[in-house]
Amino acid sequence: MPEGLQGGTFQGPDVVTSLLLYDAGTDYPLDPAKDSFVVGSAPDCDIAIESAFVSARHCRLDRKPSGLEVTDQGSKNGTYFEGRRECEFHLRPGKTFVVGALPHRLLALNDEMRTLYPALIDILGEPDAHAIRSETPSPSDLILAAIGGAHMLIASEPHCEQSRLAGIIHRCSLLRSRPMVEVEQVPVDREKHLDLIRDRAAQSTLVLDLGDDDVRLPSSFVTAAFSARYQVRVVVLARSYDVAAEALGERYVRQMQPVALRPIASRRAAIDRLLDRMLMERECALRVSAMTPDNQEALRAHRWPDNFASLREAADRLSAITRFGSIHKAALALRIPPATYYHWYSKIVGLSHPLTSSG
């Protein structure tokens, strides 16, 4: 390993700023002014969990420079870390522990993970503690996997935020000390393969975007990327498992953790929240709940053929019509032919006038 790359794995300090109830989304922020916290079922605990499995004063958390020291307080049902009942253990961001029983599994987050968590909900969907596990991980699962360091295959239709998710994985990982490396086209020159891996991607995240083309990557490049010597985490963006297997070889793809992103059309319950978030980003006061019932249903029934790109287009156009008051003025502001705007509005999406219940 070149001297400049030694010690590239993030070592800290890494401050735990909150605990998240795994797959339930309940966030327990840790007051930065305090150095010690009590977890238990008593109402006056810093982290109060109402449950017969949780003792009144179940465990104590003490801040340390490199994380939290967790000490069980003689609880009846125990505190578990990495599958074992423990009296004391060290907790860093991206790790979990169980208080009393499995439903009370807490995930430690740092500020970066907390900031990125809403984006994970946008991309992956709402956490659901009762959902059957599939190849679409929950946001909590993804943070755990990011810390774990496994190679990942993100498979999806285009415009499902694959690149954005790869960036989140890197920013949550222990490789975040070095810049992420994104590659859309592998160099033809064999000598440059090793240079790219050794000098740029070592001890970092290498994102390979396979695009729409059926390609076979050079074996020398793939071998170097997956070599344990360079400590590269490979994240592949592809349309499917088969496309990735054709490009890298079945042997390597079998090593990867699959992450299947669902198209927007299959996530109709999320349309309102996703569009509202985009409208807020555009400083638009319109919300889906203010639209007429028919218009709300039209948005949820739309195919969203380009997934998040289609959602952003809708947010731009709905913001414009809200600001300028008519399709004609909105079209001129966005430099779109009014006929094109009208066709999108009434024929493609199926919206009607008035847009909102208030007219």
Side-chain angles (χ1 to χ4, degrees), residues 113-171:
M113 293 169 180
R114 286 190 79 194
T115 300
L116 294 170
Y117 195 81
L120 287 176
I121 294 176
D122 283 354
I123 298 168
L124 300 168
E126 292 278 4
D128 185 351
H130 305 291
I132 298 173
R133 283 287 173 261
S134 68
E135 289 187 350
T136 301
S138 70
S140 300
D141 291 337
L142 199 286
I143 289 176
L144 211 62
I147 286 290
H151 304 301
M152 291 190 181
L153 167 60
I154 302 176
S156 69
E157 293 181 0
H159 306 296
C160 283
E161 306 286 70
Q162 303 98 312
S163 295
R164 186 181 180 198
L165 182 60
I168 292 173
I169 291 168
H170 179 70
R171 290 167 64 186

Side-chain angles (χ1 to χ4, degrees), residues 264 268 271-272 275 279 286-288 291-304 311 314 318 344 349-351 355:
I264 295 297
R268 304 210 182 275
I271 298 299
D272 295 25
L275 258 181
L279 291 166
L286 177 67
R287 298 293 179 266
V288 175
M291 297 182 187
T292 65
D294 285 348
N295 284 333
Q296 291 183 42
E297 185 55 36
L299 289 171
R300 294 167 194 147
H302 184 51
R303 294 186 305 108
W304 304 105
L311 279 169
L318 292 172
W344 172 86
V349 182
L351 300 174
L355 182 62

Side-chain angles (χ1 to χ4, degrees), residues 83-106:
R84 298 185 301 273
R85 183 167 180 165
E86 301 282 3
C87 293
E88 186 175 289
F89 54 90
H90 191 71
L91 186 72
R92 286 175 64 93
K95 294 292 185 178
T96 69
F97 67 103
V98 175
V99 181
L102 192 57
H104 312 306
R105 183 184 186 190
L106 296 169

Side-chain angles (χ1 to χ4, degrees), residues 5-326:
L5 300 183
Q6 294 175 10
T9 302
F10 188 85
Q11 298 296 327
D14 202 4
V15 179
V16 177
T17 55
S18 77
L19 298 176
L20 187 78
L21 193 59
Y22 204 94
D23 279 357
T26 305
D27 185 40
Y28 299 100
L30 302 180
D31 186 346
K34 297 184 64 172
D35 292 324
S36 184
F37 310 88
V38 177
V39 180
S41 58
D44 61 342
C45 286
D46 299 287
I47 299 170
I49 302 174
E50 186 177 350
S51 170
F53 296 100
V54 179
S55 298
R57 297 286 188 275
H58 197 101
C59 61
R60 191 184 74 245
L61 315 176
D62 294 301
R63 286 196 193 277
K64 301 294 179 183
S66 57
L68 290 176
E69 202 72 37
V70 182
T71 307
D72 186 84
Q73 300 294 287
S75 66
K76 179 180 178 181
N77 293 304
T79 304
Y80 295 82
F81 180 65
E82 296 185 343
R84 298 185 301 273
R85 183 167 180 165
E86 301 282 3
C87 293
E88 186 175 289
F89 54 90
H90 191 71
L91 186 72
R92 286 175 64 93
K95 294 292 185 178
T96 69
F97 67 103
V98 175
V99 181
L102 192 57
H104 312 306
R105 183 184 186 190
L106 296 169
L107 172 64
L109 302 180
N110 56 26
D111 275 338
E112 183 82 340
M113 293 169 180
R114 286 190 79 194
T115 300
L116 294 170
Y117 195 81
L120 287 176
I121 294 176
D122 283 354
I123 298 168
L124 300 168
E126 292 278 4
D128 185 351
H130 305 291
I132 298 173
R133 283 287 173 261
S134 68
E135 289 187 350
T136 301
S138 70
S140 300
D141 291 337
L142 199 286
I143 289 176
L144 211 62
I147 286 290
H151 304 301
M152 291 190 181
L153 167 60
I154 302 176
S156 69
E157 293 181 0
H159 306 296
C160 283
E161 306 286 70
Q162 303 98 312
S163 295
R164 186 181 180 198
L165 182 60
I168 292 173
I169 291 168
H170 179 70
R171 290 167 64 186
C172 290
S173 78
L174 293 176
L175 300 174
R176 62 186 184 271
S177 293
R178 289 176 51 78
M180 183 176 76
V181 177
E182 298 180 81
V183 176
E184 293 185 0
Q185 186 170 2
V186 175
V188 176
D189 187 346
R190 183 170 179 168
E191 293 298 320
K192 292 183 179 179
H193 296 167
L194 187 57
D195 291 343
L196 191 156
I197 299 300
R198 181 189 59 204
D199 298 337
R200 293 179 56 201
Q203 292 192 350
S204 186
T205 302
L206 175 66
V207 181
L208 298 176
D209 188 346
L210 301 182
D212 296 328
D213 298 327
D214 294 326
V215 297
R216 178 77 183 184
L217 298 181
S219 59
S220 60
F221 176 81
V222 176
T223 300
F226 283 87
S227 171
R229 177 182 181 185
Y230 300 110
Q231 301 176 41
V232 177
R233 166 185 242 152
V234 180
V235 178
V236 172
L237 315 182
R239 286 173 293 152
S240 67
Y241 179 98
D242 290 342
V243 169
E246 178 65 25
L248 282 79
E250 185 80 24
R251 166 193 171 191
Y252 293 107
V253 176
R254 281 200 304 267
Q255 302 177 29
M256 310 187 83
Q257 178 171 333
V259 178
L261 301 183
R262 292 179 293 155
I264 295 297
S266 71
R267 299 174 55 196
R268 304 210 182 275
I271 298 299
D272 295 25
R273 178 178 55 80
L274 292 172
L275 258 181
D276 280 352
R277 186 189 294 275
M278 292 180 183
L279 291 166
M280 289 175 63
E281 290 171 353
R282 289 155 177 78
E283 299 182 348
C284 176
L286 177 67
R287 298 293 179 266
V288 175
S289 60
M291 297 182 187
T292 65
D294 285 348
N295 284 333
Q296 291 183 42
E297 185 55 36
L299 289 171
R300 294 167 194 147
H302 184 51
R303 294 186 305 108
W304 304 105
D306 291 319
N307 295 298
F308 279 86
S310 293
L311 279 169
R312 292 191 178 93
E313 177 184 67
D316 287 338
R317 294 183 178 188
L318 292 172
S319 295
I321 198 170
T322 300
R323 184 170 294 115
F324 295 103
S326 73

